[in-house]
Amino acid sequence: MLAYAVRRLLATIPVLFVVAVLIFLLLHLGPSDPAAVIAGDFAQPEHIERIRQDLGLDRPLYVQFGTWIWDVLQGDLGSSIYNDRQVSELILQRVEPTLALTLSTISFAVLIGVPIGVLAAWKAGSFVDRAVMMVAVTGFSLPVFVLGYILIFVFALKLQLLPVQGYASYRDGIVPFVRSLVLPTLSLGMIYVALIARMTRASVIEVLNQDYVRTARAKGLATAPILLIHALKNAAIPIVTTIGLGVALLISGVVVTETVFALPGIGRLTVDAIVRKDYPVIQGVLLIFTVVYVLINLAVDLSYSLFDPRIRYQN
């Protein structure tokens, strides 16, 4: 198991290298000149050229990439063009709202999506099944920003139960912290709930048709043990895979959700950096998101043996 985990970690290095090359080329071969962006709209060509030399942008592309990747390996993601602050410092300042929103969304999606998926599978073909699938289709169909504005209109403006926008840190109290996350979590979590519920329903229905489940029923085993021990556990691998793959969906949704609800997280930082053409910040955030996504999928892969003892990782 440990050897397999180490090999998988080593296998992520080429993936991260290719991603780093793509991120570097994507921004450096773009239409905008970073030196011209820093100099401003009314800068003289001599001023732009001097900035280009100071930043090393006049050097060959492979030299620029080598310098950048060496700095990244030492934990230096560069400095922001906009305010000259370290990119790692900017990311650390914004990580709390993003982490809180991500964890609350995943928890909400799993706690709601898995039970209603199991319920739909157990009542397949019934009114309950059709109602759950209707909720799932609605969750898929509504864009995150549309659902977000609907929730703001109903629960913040009309009923005045929750704040319209903004983020309250847990240091300011648990109640304001939870209140500030309710609407963003519902908005972002619905599509994730729909994804998990549909996959759970399909996987559990397949397992419920197996012979050992029919045998358990014939022996008089109660419904709850059949669903939780025999069906859900054996259907867990596709569900866990869907949760891992859905992280990419979650990352893109975080950017939109933080913009709609004015949360000062990494998503807002990314949007601001794109608007200001702040290339070092864009590179740093994309790289961090990629590393997180690769590590989460590695953890999902390693968790398979916990749900299915037949899976063994060979040396």
Side-chain angles (χ1 to χ4, degrees):
M1 179 73 172
L2 180 62
Y4 178 80
V6 171
R7 283 205 313 276
R8 286 298 311 272
L9 275 174
L10 294 176
T12 61
I13 293 176
V15 176
L16 294 176
F17 180 78
V18 171
V19 171
V21 171
L22 292 176
I23 292 173
F24 180 82
L25 293 178
L26 182 68
L27 298 180
H28 278 70
L29 299 181
S32 300
D33 183 357
V37 172
I38 296 173
D41 296 334
F42 305 104
Q44 297 296 321
E46 298 79 13
H47 185 206
I48 296 176
E49 186 58 31
R50 189 166 58 253
I51 293 175
R52 186 176 291 111
Q53 291 177 358
D54 292 342
L55 295 177
L57 298 176
D58 57 335
R59 291 181 291 179
L61 205 58
Y62 69 90
V63 175
Q64 294 182 48
F65 176 74
T67 304
W68 177 71
I69 201 69
W70 177 248
D71 290 340
V72 168
L73 291 175
Q74 298 180 82
D76 182 6
L77 297 176
S79 300
S80 166
I81 293 175
Y82 181 72
N83 54 23
D84 202 31
R85 295 176 62 185
Q86 286 290 312
V87 174
S88 55
E89 180 186 340
L90 292 173
I91 292 176
L92 285 176
Q93 281 185 344
R94 303 291 192 97
V95 76
E96 183 195 317
T98 302
L99 190 61
L101 176 60
T102 304
L103 293 177
S104 64
T105 301
I106 291 178
S107 303
F108 167 71
V110 172
L111 291 176
I112 299 298
V114 173
I116 66 173
V118 173
L119 181 64
W122 180 40
K123 300 288 185 182
S126 68
F127 170 78
V128 174
D129 181 24
R130 286 191 286 272
V132 170
M133 287 302 100
M134 187 176 68
V135 171
V137 171
T138 305
F140 263 126
S141 305
L142 276 177
V144 172
F145 69 94
V146 173
L147 181 58
Y149 285 124
I150 292 174
L151 293 174
I152 288 174
F153 179 76
V154 175
F155 292 100
L157 298 181
K158 288 296 181 183
L159 301 178
Q160 299 185 349
L161 295 175
L162 296 165
V164 177
Q165 290 179 324
Y167 173 74
S169 173
Y170 65 90
R171 302 182 194 89
D172 302 326
I174 296 299
V175 174
F177 171 68
V178 173
R179 279 169 53 84
S180 68
L181 286 177
V182 171
L183 294 185
T185 300
L186 290 175
S187 176
L188 180 58
M190 279 306 295
I191 188 169
Y192 213 36
V193 168
L195 184 68
I196 294 175
R198 288 175 66 91
M199 179 52 69
T200 302
R201 176 185 179 274
S203 301
V204 173
I205 284 179
E206 184 178 349
V207 173
L208 287 177
N209 292 322
Q210 298 295 319
D211 290 339
Y212 63 88
V213 174
R214 281 195 288 269
T215 302
R217 282 174 172 162
K219 292 169 64 178
L221 203 61
T223 302
I226 291 176
L227 288 175
L228 298 178
I229 298 175
H230 294 281
L232 183 58
K233 183 178 179 183
N234 290 295
I237 289 181
I239 300 170
V240 172
T241 303
T242 302
I243 293 173
L245 294 176
V247 172
L249 191 68
L250 199 61
I251 289 174
S252 60
V254 162
V255 176
V256 178
T257 306
E258 289 183 356
T259 303
V260 171
F261 291 95
L263 301 179
I266 297 178
R268 279 289 301 279
L269 177 67
T270 307
V271 173
D272 293 342
I274 292 173
V275 172
R276 296 165 180 164
K277 297 176 182 175
D278 198 342
Y279 297 111
V281 175
I282 298 172
Q283 285 179 323
V285 171
L286 289 177
L287 207 56
I288 294 295
F289 278 158
T290 303
V291 171
V292 170
Y293 182 70
V294 169
L295 291 180
I296 288 178
N297 277 279
L298 174 62
V300 169
D301 196 5
L302 295 177
S303 71
Y304 287 166
S305 64
L306 300 177
F307 299 102
D308 190 345
R310 293 172 298 180
I311 296 178
R312 291 288 182 270
Y313 298 107
Q314 303 296 327
N315 292 325

